[in-house]
Amino acid sequence: MSRFVTAAAIIALTTGHALANGHGGEAPSPPKPEATSAPAKVVLTKQGPKLVDPKGMTLYYYERDTTGKTSNCNGKCTESWVPLAATTEAKAIGDFTVIDREDGSKMWAYRYRPLYTSPADKAPGDANGNATTLQWRIARPDN
């Protein structure tokens, strides 16, 4: 009988030690997501591929944004063209870079062209902000 008790105690201690090391019981916690993921993706449309934000809203660029380091759409301009905001911790990923705005905030750029959405677009896929006379263009992967 004492052998049985001793064997049971050894098994209990071994099992407890294994559970404490993550060999059973609770599943290990999932890996943390990357701090930076691409702020946009490419979708195919009848007019060709275009960039959209995570909500599916069309992204645009301004032809006057030429340096790749600043945005020329500030103040009142941002009422018509909303900068694609980046967090303060955001880092460049692939063709996407982060630039500082005049107001101290950060925004995303694609191939060094700052990206914006248009309030004229009410639903994913809309492209009502394309204004060739005002030098605003739909952002495309080949831009």
Side-chain angles (χ1 to χ4, degrees):
M1 178 79 162
S2 73
R3 286 185 186 176
F4 175 74
V5 172
T6 303
I10 291 171
I11 292 171
L13 288 173
T14 305
T15 305
H17 182 22
L19 289 173
N21 285 330
H23 300 288
E26 292 183 36
S29 52
K32 292 181 180 176
E34 294 232 359
T36 302
S37 58
K41 63 182 177 179
V42 176
V43 296
L44 298 176
T45 68
K46 292 178 186 176
Q47 295 78 28
K50 70 178 179 179
L51 293 174
V52 298
D53 72 4
K55 296 176 186 172
M57 302 304 285
T58 301
L59 291 170
Y60 301 87
Y61 71 91
Y62 187 33
E63 286 185 357
R64 292 185 182 176
D65 287 340
T66 57
T67 68
K69 296 180 182 177
T70 60
S71 165
N72 287 304
C73 180
N74 295 292
K76 197 148 179 77
C77 177
T78 61
E79 293 173 15
S80 299
W81 299 98
V82 181
L84 183 60
T87 64
T88 55
E89 307 86 35
K91 303 278 186 235
I93 180 168
D95 286 330
F96 295 96
T97 54
V98 179
I99 63 169
D100 294 321
R101 296 192 42 75
E102 190 177 82
D103 65 3
S105 65
K106 295 185 179 290
M107 72 180 291
W108 286 104
Y110 178 74
R111 294 186 178 168
Y112 301 101
R113 286 192 179 261
L115 295 170
Y116 307 85
T117 58
S118 172
D121 295 341
K122 301 301 180 195
D126 285 354
N128 300 317
N130 201 31
T132 54
T133 57
L134 299 176
Q135 301 177 331
W136 289 91
R137 306 282 183 264
I138 293 174
R140 301 189 183 279
D142 56 346
N143 290 4

